[in-house]
Amino acid sequence: MAWPVAAQPDSVPVRPVLPSGVLPAAPEYDPGFYEPPAEVVAAKQPGEIIAAREVHLGFYSVLPINVDAWQLSFRSTDHLDRPIAAVTTVMKPRGGDGGQPWNLLSYQFAVDSEGPRHCAPSYVLQEGAMPPAPVIGSLLVGTEFLFPITALGAGWVVNMPDFDGPDMAFGAGPLNGRITLDSIRAVQNFAPLGLSGPQTKTALAGYSGGAIPSVHAAELHSSYAPELNIVGVAAGGIPADLRAMLQQASGNLASGLLLSGIFGVEREYPDLADYLERHMSPALKALRSVKSGLCYLYSLPVLPFLPYEQMFDIPNPFHGPVPDQIFDALRMGHAVPKAPMFMFNANPDWVVPVGTVNALVDYYCRDPEARVRYTRDHFSEHITAEYLGMAQEFLWLKERFDGVPVASGCEIRDEGSMVLDPASWPTWLQTAGTLLAAAVQQPIGRR
């Protein structure tokens, strides 16, 4: 279903930035912004802005960054089309646009936690968030921030949504994709950004937990938000099939991470919550309560090397009528993205089985109109592949914004390491220069 949005930029009042010395409130203590009244949300269209405020951003909540930034509360929908409120953070380069329309990158962080809402980017990215990101355990948002900052230095507006929604439904791909698309709608209609509305050239990017909303948004684009001008989607470490990931993770280091995904998904799918409640052991129920209060860094070590079959009162707990229906809904591969795709995965990935990504690419490539570049990195694993692939990913996105055409068809590459591509090496220098400028409080973006 396609949803209408406001054709003209929204003119909602923008709350000024907090006075010096006043720390931002965690989402749990900021219901006026994060939890607007249900009747207010229901009265809006998907992507329509509810409230806006200016914010200061910082690396790991500590080192300030010299950029213009805002947060938007907007209306989205859950997987059953019910109205919900969501939040996104957006950065704009300092200086003018050089007479050219702004490009928009929507970057989805790997939050990878079903923990409290203070694990989400909108809080972790704010300067003065206390405790700061590393202390509360929201590690990945801080480390991945180098990609959005590099994009900002290239002169792109950057959107960073809390795509897990009000219940932190980590892993609920259809919900995550909808919130991502509606966050783009909200940002495009936010007047202070000066974007071109739905005509804005827009790209999406995300790795691992951030690839979930990115790829689901790409698949939902034509049916849910066809008016958006999405020129490319880059995704790596792609969780194409959650059940296959669970099967691989049982008994290995990633078992705690994958359980966080299941505990996040059940918040969006009550039938799964009821199923798990009936069949989980008392010990697993107790540990679920522990994990629900933790961000990624502290949640990950809870239940590593766990053999799942020992924690349920039935064999094969992730098979049966209820899990079959839900895992199918969560699986990628329900539609072929209209936008060009840049996909990459480590071949020896210990979190995401590369075979499931191969199968997803095969599904896309059966469509003669698909435009896919897929790289398998043979010398990386799940964690290193994200950072070693960033330069290629950034260069590919730049080409999409620059209008370099992508022919129909699929290009599949097997590389020793993506970092060895000499064409991408200048991007590393660009990233280093932007980070250095940010560290010394220079304005980031076009001048």
Side-chain angles (χ1 to χ4, degrees), residues 242-329:
L242 181 56
R243 178 155 53 193
M245 293 175 67
L246 282 163
Q247 291 170 340
Q248 175 172 283
S250 182
N252 82 10
L253 181 62
S255 63
L257 174 63
L258 268 295
L259 274 180
S260 290
I262 290 299
F263 295 154
V265 167
E266 69 171 342
R267 297 176 179 180
E268 179 68 6
Y269 294 88
D271 288 350
L272 180 62
D274 292 341
Y275 174 85
L276 294 175
E277 189 65 26
R278 290 197 308 272
H279 297 296
M280 282 194 305
S281 69
L284 186 55
K285 292 177 183 178
L287 289 168
R288 176 178 58 179
S289 299
V290 173
K291 287 176 69 68
S292 67
L294 302 173
C295 298
Y296 166 81
L297 182 62
Y298 304 127
S299 176
L300 181 65
V302 178
L303 305 178
F305 306 107
L306 175 74
Y308 296 140
E309 62 273 9
Q310 296 181 14
M311 305 301 287
F312 293 85
D313 64 6
I314 55 174
N316 300 317
F318 300 126
H319 291 268
V322 172
D324 286 352
Q325 180 182 12
I326 292 169
F327 282 126
D328 181 68

Side-chain angles (χ1 to χ4, degrees), residues 111-123:
V111 179
D112 286 10
S113 170
E114 84 287 17
R117 292 188 77 171
H118 64 243
C119 303
S122 63
Y123 182 67

Side-chain angles (χ1 to χ4, degrees), residues 81-107:
D81 297 335
R82 296 173 299 198
I84 57 172
V87 170
T88 193
T89 305
V90 60
M91 304 185 295
K92 180 181 179 182
R94 293 285 195 186
D97 60 10
Q100 299 296 319
W102 293 109
N103 297 318
L104 174 63
L105 173 69
S106 186
Y107 189 83

Side-chain angles (χ1 to χ4, degrees), residues 42-293:
K44 300 286 186 178
Q45 293 290 339
E48 193 172 354
I49 299 172
I50 299 170
R53 62 188 181 190
E54 187 178 359
V55 293
H56 284 159
L57 303 184
F59 279 114
Y60 287 111
S61 318
V62 176
L63 182 65
I65 302 170
N66 191 353
V67 299
D68 295 319
W70 299 264
Q71 288 181 345
L72 308 177
S73 172
F74 60 95
R75 182 253 167 100
S76 188
T77 62
D78 67 9
H79 79 287
L80 296 176
D81 297 335
R82 296 173 299 198
I84 57 172
V87 170
T88 193
T89 305
V90 60
M91 304 185 295
K92 180 181 179 182
R94 293 285 195 186
D97 60 10
Q100 299 296 319
W102 293 109
N103 297 318
L104 174 63
L105 173 69
S106 186
Y107 189 83
Q108 287 63 246
F109 289 97
V111 179
D112 286 10
S113 170
E114 84 287 17
R117 292 188 77 171
H118 64 243
C119 303
S122 63
Y123 182 67
V124 175
L125 293 172
Q126 289 192 70
E127 179 192 352
M130 288 294 163
V135 176
I136 65 173
S138 192
L139 184 66
L140 293 175
V141 174
T143 58
E144 289 187 349
F145 198 34
L146 66 91
F147 196 98
I149 284 293
T150 303
L152 195 77
W156 306 346
V157 176
V158 183
N159 173 51
M160 299 167 288
D162 291 2
F163 55 79
D164 286 326
D167 296 321
M168 291 295 288
F170 166 45
L175 168 75
N176 303 158
R178 287 178 173 219
I179 291 176
T180 298
L181 292 169
D182 283 328
S183 73
I184 293 169
R185 286 168 157 166
V187 166
Q188 290 183 352
N189 286 304
F190 184 53
L193 291 172
L195 298 177
S196 305
Q199 290 75 42
T200 303
K201 284 186 177 181
T202 302
L204 287 78
Y207 187 88
S208 189
I212 296 174
S214 301
V215 177
H216 278 279
E219 293 192 4
L220 289 167
H221 173 208
S222 294
S223 60
Y224 187 79
E227 82 282 1
L228 298 181
N229 181 21
I230 298 179
V231 298
V233 179
I238 302 167
D241 187 329
L242 181 56
R243 178 155 53 193
M245 293 175 67
L246 282 163
Q247 291 170 340
Q248 175 172 283
S250 182
N252 82 10
L253 181 62
S255 63
L257 174 63
L258 268 295
L259 274 180
S260 290
I262 290 299
F263 295 154
V265 167
E266 69 171 342
R267 297 176 179 180
E268 179 68 6
Y269 294 88
D271 288 350
L272 180 62
D274 292 341
Y275 174 85
L276 294 175
E277 189 65 26
R278 290 197 308 272
H279 297 296
M280 282 194 305
S281 69
L284 186 55
K285 292 177 183 178
L287 289 168
R288 176 178 58 179
S289 299
V290 173
K291 287 176 69 68
S292 67

